[in-house]
């Protein structure tokens, strides 16, 4: 009989047999008692419609348990979990602050791999619904982030303008420069101002530097954005620039990007997103 | 006293109820009276948003989407701040929902935009790969029902004293005024949309359902 080798089957059978045996023995005992037993003991003297009652003192164990529960109840109300002190939101706040503390101490000095992993995770949840899982903007439904941080993108922005970030100096109109000048400015920004790499057109850098005066009026000649009055172009192509976009939101010709500055993302997470988005550009 | 109660089962039942319900009465009722009041900053819906809400109800969106964010870190990380009961003061009926086949929508206006909603309602899979939400393309053809929305706003104003036309609250006014305001509000949304047919219809004074539902979704914050 193979199924007896299974422990659970065996236990179940033993249990079933024990139940049957106990039932038979106990029921038999009471049936016998009902046939033969006579009631004995001291009566209390109370009578209700001919029904009388024995004097049965409360067992010691029950009395102790009863008193014990009263004592425990007082402790519970007054000291253990005092009345009116529980708060669901308080518990939530505690959970969040503990989590934040753990998070901040764990990721105080994240390395590049950590930032990339964290950035990808946040990107997939918060950014991918509009920018797509690969960041390609899903056929023009949002900014194609795989070209972000390149010279071509700077040219694109100069030609189309930029709006909706809510900087004090307002929006950038389209067509501040023509395409050739924009290409030169882009070369200057990438190679000299932001120093994110070698330009594709190194011969245009000097020309771009001269043309940058048009941009410098708002973005500052040092590219630092005039103390927060306009985006800091010196950060272009770096994680910090993305952090600024997350904090400011955008509203352009493609659509509206909301701000992410309401505490949904911590500063570390924003930097991580910036690092990840920056890596999407394969140039 | 006890003898009298024993002979009057009705009053006995009342007494038993009071004794048993006492803890509930003293803790629940005062808290409920306080938390059921509208929170500061909560405003009644405009007629365009109400029309969108009626479309939301008509299409049983609440069968798959909840509007209730519980105070857990996992939920607030994804959906935003936890919900408070005072936020539903002008929801008649509330649309908490009981199932989350899709995500919670109580603060969807914070993280989705008009153009995203437009793409998503037309073809959910175009922005959310693998989404099982049906397409709601018919909302781009069907005209919204302004009259019912105005009737609802007017009714709750008269019957439940919802504070329309009060300082700092949305203006309702007469039918003509409300219609004008709704057309103006719809214009801002249509300007953010891409669908040419919806834009053309708007120019002729015809507001499509999609505009109203986006107005409602954007108002959920």
């Amino acid at each position: 009989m193979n199924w007896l080798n299974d422990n659970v089957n065996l236990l179940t059978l033993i249990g079933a047999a024990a139940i049957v045996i106990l039932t038979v023995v106990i029921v038999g005992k009471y049936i016998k008692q009902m046939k033969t037993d006579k009631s004995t003991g001291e009566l209390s003297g109370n009578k209700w419609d001919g029904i009388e009652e024995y004097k049965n003192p409360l067992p010691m164990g029950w009395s102790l348990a009863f008193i014990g529960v009263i004592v425990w109840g007082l402790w519970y109300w007054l000291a253990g979990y005092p009345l009116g002190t529980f708060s669901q939101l308080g518990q939530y706040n505690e959970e969040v602050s503990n989590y934040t503390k753990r998070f901040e101490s764990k990721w105080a000095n994240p390395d590049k791999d950590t930032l990339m992993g964290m950035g990808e995770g946040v990107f997939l949840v918060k950014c991918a619904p509009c920018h797509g899982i690969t960041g390609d903007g899903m056929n023009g439904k949002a900014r194609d982030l795989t070209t972000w941080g390149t010279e071509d993108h700077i040219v694109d922005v100069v030609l189309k303008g930029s709006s909706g970030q809510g900087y004090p100096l307002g929006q950038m109109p389209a067509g501040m420069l023509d395409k050739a000048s924009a290409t030169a400015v882009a070369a200057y920004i990438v190679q000299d101002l932001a120093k994110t790499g070698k330009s594709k057109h190194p011969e245009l850098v000097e020309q771009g530097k001269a043309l940058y005066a048009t941009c410098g009026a708002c973005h500052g000649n040092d590219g630092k954005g005039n103390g927060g009055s306009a985006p800091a172009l010196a950060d272009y192509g770096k994680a910090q620039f993305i952090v600024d976009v997350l904090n400011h939101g955008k509203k352009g010709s493609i659509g509206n990007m909301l701000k992410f500055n309401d505490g949904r993302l911590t500063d570390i997470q924003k930097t991580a997103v910036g690092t990840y988005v920056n890596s999407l550009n394969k140039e | 006293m006890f003898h009298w109660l024993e002979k009057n089962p009705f009053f006995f039942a009342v007494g038993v109820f009071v004794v048993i319900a006492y803890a509930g009465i003293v803790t629940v009722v005062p808290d409920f009276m306080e938390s059921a009041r509208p929170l500061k900053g909560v405003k009644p819906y405009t007629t365009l948003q109400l029309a969108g809400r009626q479309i939301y109800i008509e299409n049983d969106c609440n069968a798959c989407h909840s509007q209730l964010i519980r105070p857990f870190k996992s939920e607030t990380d994804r959906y935003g701040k936890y919900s408070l009961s005072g936020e539903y003061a002008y929801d008649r009926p509330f649309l908490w929902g009981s199932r989350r086949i899709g995500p919670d929508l109580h603060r969807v206006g914070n993280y989705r935009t008009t153009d995203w909603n437009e793409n998503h309602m037309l073809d959910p899979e175009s922005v959310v790969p693998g989404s099982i939400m049906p397409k709601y393309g018919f909302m781009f053809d069907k005209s919204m029902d302004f009259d019912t929305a105005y009737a609802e706003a007017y009714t709750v104003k008269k019957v439940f004293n919802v504070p329309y036309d009060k300082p700092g609250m949305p203006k309702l006014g007469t039918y003509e005024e409300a219609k004008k305001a709704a057309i103006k509000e719809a214009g801002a949304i249509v300007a953010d949309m891409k669908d040419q047919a919806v834009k053309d219809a708007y120019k002729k004074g015809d507001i499509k359902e999609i505009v109203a539902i986006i107005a409602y979704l954007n108002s959920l914050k």
Side-chain angles (χ1 to χ4, degrees), chain B residues 154-170:
Chain B
Y154 187 78
T155 309
V156 294
K157 184 189 167 190
K158 288 287 169 198
V159 179
F160 299 115
N161 221 4
V162 170
Y164 284 110
D165 298 324
K166 299 259 164 71
M169 291 292 178

Side-chain angles (χ1 to χ4, degrees), chain A residues 10-282:
Chain A
L10 196 63
L11 269 177
T12 313
L13 278 179
I14 292 172
I19 290 171
V20 169
I21 292 165
L22 281 171
T23 310
V24 169
V25 170
I26 291 168
V27 169
K29 172 182 177 280
Y30 279 114
I31 288 177
K32 202 173 152 200
Q33 203 176 347
M34 273 149 65
K35 280 183 187 155
T36 59
D37 212 13
K38 286 258 183 312
S39 50
T40 49
E42 196 185 337
L43 288 168
S44 71
N46 291 329
K47 236 183 203 182
W48 295 278
D49 296 341
I51 300 170
E52 293 185 59
E53 183 189 45
Y54 287 119
K55 263 191 179 165
N56 284 325
L58 190 65
M60 182 57 83
W62 285 38
S63 323
L64 288 178
F66 180 61
I67 292 164
V69 168
I70 292 174
V71 172
W72 176 82
L74 286 174
W75 170 83
Y76 186 91
W77 273 349
L78 302 175
Y81 300 88
L83 282 175
T85 54
F86 176 77
S87 150
Q88 196 184 16
L89 297 184
Q91 203 175 43
Y92 166 79
N93 290 337
E94 209 171 290
E95 183 193 345
V96 171
S97 78
N98 286 343
Y99 179 86
T100 312
K101 241 179 260 161
R102 261 208 325 275
F103 184 90
E104 275 169 3
S105 67
K106 190 169 178 189
W107 306 119
N109 295 303
D111 56 23
K112 183 109 202 272
D113 284 347
T114 310
L115 284 176
M116 282 292 287
M118 188 189 288
E120 182 174 13
V122 176
F123 185 88
L124 289 176
V125 176
K126 304 279 186 194
C127 315
C130 294
H131 290 284
I133 290 169
T134 55
D136 63 356
M138 296 192 284
N139 299 324
K141 292 192 179 68
R143 161 60 67 189
D144 179 356
L145 294 176
T146 57
T147 66
W148 185 84
T150 63
E151 291 174 63
D152 294 345
H153 181 226
I154 299 181
V155 174
D156 195 43
V157 174
V158 173
L159 295 179
K160 288 183 182 158
S162 174
S163 58
Q165 296 108 314
Y167 279 104
L169 282 171
Q171 61 179 38
M172 169 167 149
M176 293 281 285
L177 296 168
D178 59 30
K179 193 160 184 206
S181 317
T183 314
V185 167
Y188 167 68
I189 291 176
V190 167
Q191 189 163 320
D192 256 23
L193 194 65
K195 296 194 180 67
T196 45
K198 273 249 166 276
S199 166
K200 283 190 295 186
H201 311 285
E203 73 281 4
L204 292 176
V205 171
E206 278 309 308
Q207 191 197 341
K209 190 169 182 179
L211 287 163
Y212 180 78
T214 318
C215 318
C218 291
H219 292 284
N221 284 326
D222 54 357
K224 299 231 166 81
N226 270 337
S229 313
L233 292 183
D235 288 335
Y236 188 75
K238 299 174 191 163
Q240 181 56 36
F241 199 87
I242 303 276
V243 175
D244 282 345
V245 176
L246 288 171
N247 286 336
H248 281 92
K250 267 192 97 126
K251 186 164 186 186
S253 55
I254 303 176
N256 189 4
M257 173 175 156
L258 295 151
K259 294 179 195 175
F260 284 80
N261 62 349
D262 58 355
R264 248 176 294 166
L265 296 179
T266 64
D267 289 344
I268 306 168
Q269 283 176 315
K270 284 180 194 166
T271 312
V273 171
T275 311
Y276 178 72
V277 170
N278 217 359
S279 76
L280 291 174
N281 139 33
K282 294 287 179 298

